[in-house]
Amino acid sequence: MNTLLSLPALVLGLLCCLPALADARTTSEILESSGPEHWRRPAQENLLYIKLPSGTVVFELEAGFAPAHVDNIRALVAAGYYDRSAIVRSQDNYVVQWANGGDPEPALGQARPALALELFRPRDELALTAVSDRDAYADSVALFNGFPVATDGNVAWLVHCYGMLGVARGAPDTGNATSLYVVNGHAPRHLDRNGTLVGRALIGMTHLSTLPRGTGPLGFYETPEETTALLGVRIGSAMAPADRLTIEVLRTDGELFAEYLAARKHRSEDWFVHPTDAVGICNVPVPARVVAPPAD
Amino acid sequence: MNTLLSLPALVLGLLCCLPALADARTTSEILESSGPEHWRRPAQENLLYIKLPSGTVVFELEAGFAPAHVDNIRALVAAGYYDRSAIVRSQDNYVVQWANGGDPEPALGQARPALALELFRPRDELALTAVSDRDAYADSVALFNGFPVATDGNVAWLVHCYGMLGVARGAPDTGNATSLYVVNGHAPRHLDRNGTLVGRALIGMTHLSTLPRGTGPLGFYETPEETTALLGVRIGSAMAPADRLTIEVLRTDGELFAEYLAARKHRSEDWFVHPTDAVGICNVPVPARVVAPPAD
């Protein structure tokens, strides 16, 4: 199967830490071999469902880096704040963003009106799966429970990869989660450590990525008619059980994921003639899937 | 204007090679100050116009890395081959791809039926603008006449950034440019040195990036009705002058671009509290614009 590999690639494959090439499994083969123990089911209390006219996007919230912001999101959902929101911005190869579309602004409920940026955690508190120490923006990059992380020394922060969910803000205001954005293109890494990240799209990202681009500055829509209303924003644990999706995310610890990561670095599919033997942090999108709930 | 900059960022700004922060211009300010001498007009013979139902995408062909493939594209355009083509694939955060949609296949005209991969040029033949020596996949990355390039030693190759145009192929076949793909998401850098790249979208990329995603494997559409016909594929120099667009691309040599690149690394806009002082190769999309032709 490796007849197209160049001699240097073969030598590299034999020298390095990967399984011998003849035995290397592809990423697809690895995923197909996975068992239930290789997947985790995010708690419904950490799933944010956004209903759009074309379908539902589900995000996993990650409160560890930004507890006050995630608390605010929960409070805004509970207050029904987002039910008056719409997607007001779709900038090509950058972000989509939603915000209050009504006037007057809905009540914030228990949410705090202003929050400080929440960006960092101590690296030594986190069980990280190393991805690479070659990164344009940080000393090293890793995965933490399925989320992309960068580190310098003992400081760790979440990374703006495709599908990441962040808290919009102006300058100098630091945002309060009433307006959120989602990365819809090449990772805008210059936003790292500048925008508070709170989660990642697991399911349905295409409902956001295919939206018409706004023609105003920064991809904002120029008329209310161009916006897309959010038809419902809910936390899974507050939804009727029948409406919840059972979602699984590939665990990023353990031997199977280590093999998967190695296979992303050294692609052994016949198509590749020059495997890169390297991978960037945003080129390891952690697989997620909807599964049927087990029969009781 | 820098009241939000943290003390470490201020110190870094003062220590490093950039203009003093108080004088630093933003990327917008730099572009606004540019004169005609800072822009180049690609020759119409290097512009590939793809007409879609929603509008036209214009690519600049770069024949230096892949002369035989670009020759084949010219021959296929001349033969009208692509006029029977359609977009058959739209994979989220990866690529869109078009191919012959007719049966039987149109004649190839003067195009060759098979080509070897064309990937590399000697680095010392190229006038490069260095971008970074921190890259997950290569020793260094740079810009060459507006195109993203990676290098190891004296070997240089084009990089799969957003909007780059490549030649589709199977395995082990190496393609002949009858089917082309365009990157529509985060740079799939593992395709570097595996797929022959031939150009970059200058104008109209949103007509491709917003296409509905295909629901089949690899984002292929599952029925002919889901595909999008190409309504015309032309080389600018063969078009009626009135139909051509005058397009300008920011020059990537010279002092103004050096300042622009520095400003992409150290964002001095008020919004940024932690400028990265770094930039990845695919986070420097080189600006292009349509201009009215000068009055004769």
Side-chain angles (χ1 to χ4, degrees):
Chain A
M1 63 178 284
N2 293 303
T3 52
L4 289 177
L5 287 171
S6 67
L7 187 58
L10 274 170
V11 172
L12 193 61
L14 293 172
L15 291 179
C16 94
C17 51
L18 302 173
L21 280 177
D23 298 323
R25 299 194 296 175
T26 66
T27 53
S28 299
E29 290 166 346
I30 294 163
L31 290 180
E32 284 163 14
S33 77
S34 67
E37 71 275 20
H38 299 118
W39 300 78
R40 63 183 175 84
R41 295 190 176 180
Q44 291 290 332
E45 66 184 13
N46 292 327
L47 294 183
L48 181 70
Y49 292 67
I50 313 280
K51 189 175 179 186
L52 297 167
S54 63
T56 298
V57 193
V58 184
F59 295 89
E60 181 177 8
L61 298 173
E62 166 45 55
F65 286 82
H69 284 78
V70 172
D71 278 352
N72 249 34
I73 291 172
R74 296 184 194 284
L76 292 166
V77 171
Y81 181 93
Y82 297 117
D83 294 340
R84 298 268 299 281
S85 291
I87 294 168
V88 294
R89 177 188 189 191
S90 170
Q91 183 170 1
D92 197 54
N93 193 30
Y94 201 54
V95 297
V96 295
Q97 181 179 339
W98 56 87
N100 166 45
D103 182 21
E105 186 179 3
L108 295 181
Q110 300 300 311
R112 293 158 63 186
L115 297 171
L117 288 170
E118 293 182 300
L119 304 169
F120 303 114
R121 292 184 72 177
R123 176 182 182 164
D124 57 16
E125 284 185 1
L126 306 173
L128 299 181
T129 299
V131 171
S132 178
D133 56 4
R134 293 165 58 184
D135 181 74
Y137 296 88
D139 283 352
S140 68
V141 285
L143 288 163
F144 168 67
N145 201 31
F147 291 89
V149 166
T151 68
D152 276 352
N154 195 35
V155 181
W157 61 92
L158 293 172
V159 169
H160 279 80
C161 294
Y162 185 82
M164 288 294 285
L165 176 69
V167 175
R169 67 179 181 86
D173 106 75
T174 49
N176 60 5
T178 52
S179 179
L180 300 174
Y181 64 88
V182 184
V183 175
N184 73 350
H186 189 81
R189 296 287 306 276
H190 54 292
L191 302 184
D192 289 359
R193 305 185 302 170
N194 289 287
T196 297
L197 291 168
V198 292
R200 182 174 84 95
L202 299 181
I203 298 292
M205 183 61 202
T206 60
H207 300 300
L208 294 172
S209 61
T210 58
L211 289 169
R213 287 9 181 185
T215 52
L218 304 179
F220 279 90
Y221 296 114
E222 300 189 88
T223 64
E225 292 70 31
E226 295 170 280
T227 67
T228 298
L230 305 191
L231 302 182
V233 177
R234 300 288 179 266
I235 297 288
S237 51
M239 293 167 60
D243 293 337
R244 301 174 191 162
L245 294 173
T246 299
I247 296 176
E248 292 187 338
V249 184
L250 191 66
R251 292 184 185 277
T252 48
D253 52 4
E255 287 184 17
L256 184 115
F257 189 81
E259 185 186 357
Y260 177 81
L261 183 58
R264 294 286 299 188
K265 294 182 180 181
H266 187 90
R267 301 295 290 253
S268 59
E269 295 93 337
D270 283 354
W271 189 86
F272 290 89
V273 295
H274 293 105
T276 52
D277 291 306
V279 74
I281 182 61
C282 295
N283 279 313
V284 194
V286 177
R289 64 187 185 186
V290 176
V291 295
D296 286 323
Chain B
M1 65 179 282
N2 293 302
T3 52
L4 289 177
L5 286 172
S6 65
L7 187 59
L10 275 170
V11 172
L12 193 61
L14 294 173
L15 290 179
C16 95
C17 51
L18 302 174
L21 280 179
D23 299 320
R25 300 195 295 175
T26 65
T27 53
S28 299
E29 292 167 345
I30 294 164
L31 291 180
E32 283 163 13
S33 77
S34 66
E37 70 276 19
H38 298 117
W39 300 78
R40 63 183 175 85
R41 294 191 177 180
Q44 290 290 331
E45 66 185 11
N46 293 328
L47 294 182
L48 181 69
Y49 292 67
I50 313 280
K51 188 175 177 186
L52 297 168
S54 61
T56 297
V57 193
V58 184
F59 295 88
E60 182 178 8
L61 299 173
E62 166 46 55
F65 286 82
H69 284 78
V70 172
D71 278 352
N72 249 37
I73 290 172
R74 297 185 194 285
L76 291 166
V77 171
Y81 181 95
Y82 297 116
D83 294 341
R84 297 268 298 282
S85 291
I87 294 168
V88 295
R89 178 188 187 190
S90 171
Q91 183 170 359
D92 196 54
N93 192 30
Y94 200 54
V95 297
V96 294
Q97 181 179 339
W98 56 85
N100 166 46
D103 183 21
E105 186 178 3
L108 295 182
Q110 300 299 310
R112 292 157 64 186
L115 297 171
L117 288 169
E118 292 183 299
L119 304 170
F120 303 114
R121 291 185 72 177
R123 175 181 183 165
D124 57 16
E125 284 185 2
L126 306 173
L128 299 181
T129 299
V131 171
S132 177
D133 57 3
R134 292 165 59 185
D135 181 73
Y137 295 88
D139 282 352
S140 69
V141 286
L143 289 163
F144 168 68
N145 200 32
F147 292 89
V149 166
T151 67
D152 276 351
N154 195 36
V155 180
W157 60 92
L158 293 171
V159 169
H160 280 80
C161 294
Y162 186 81
M164 288 293 286
L165 177 68
V167 175
R169 66 177 181 86
D173 105 76
T174 50
N176 60 7
T178 52
S179 180
L180 300 174
Y181 65 87
V182 184
V183 174
N184 72 348
H186 188 82
R189 297 285 306 277
H190 54 291
L191 303 183
D192 288 0
R193 306 187 301 169
N194 288 290
T196 298
L197 290 167
V198 293
R200 182 174 84 95
L202 298 181
I203 298 292
M205 183 62 202
T206 61
H207 300 300
L208 295 172
S209 62
T210 57
L211 288 171
R213 288 6 180 185
T215 52
L218 303 177
F220 279 89
Y221 295 115
E222 300 189 87
T223 64
E225 292 70 32
E226 295 171 280
T227 68
T228 299
L230 305 191
L231 303 181
V233 178
R234 301 288 180 265
I235 297 288
S237 51
M239 293 167 60
D243 293 337
R244 299 173 192 162
L245 295 173
T246 300
I247 296 175
E248 293 187 336
V249 184
L250 191 67
R251 290 184 185 277
T252 48
D253 52 3
E255 287 184 17
L256 183 114
F257 189 80
E259 185 186 359
Y260 177 81
L261 184 58
R264 293 286 299 188
K265 294 182 181 182
H266 187 90
R267 302 294 290 254
S268 60
E269 296 91 339
D270 282 353
W271 189 86
F272 289 89
V273 294
H274 292 105
T276 52
D277 290 306
V279 73
I281 182 62
C282 295
N283 279 314
V284 194
V286 176
R289 63 188 187 186
V290 176
V291 295
D296 287 323

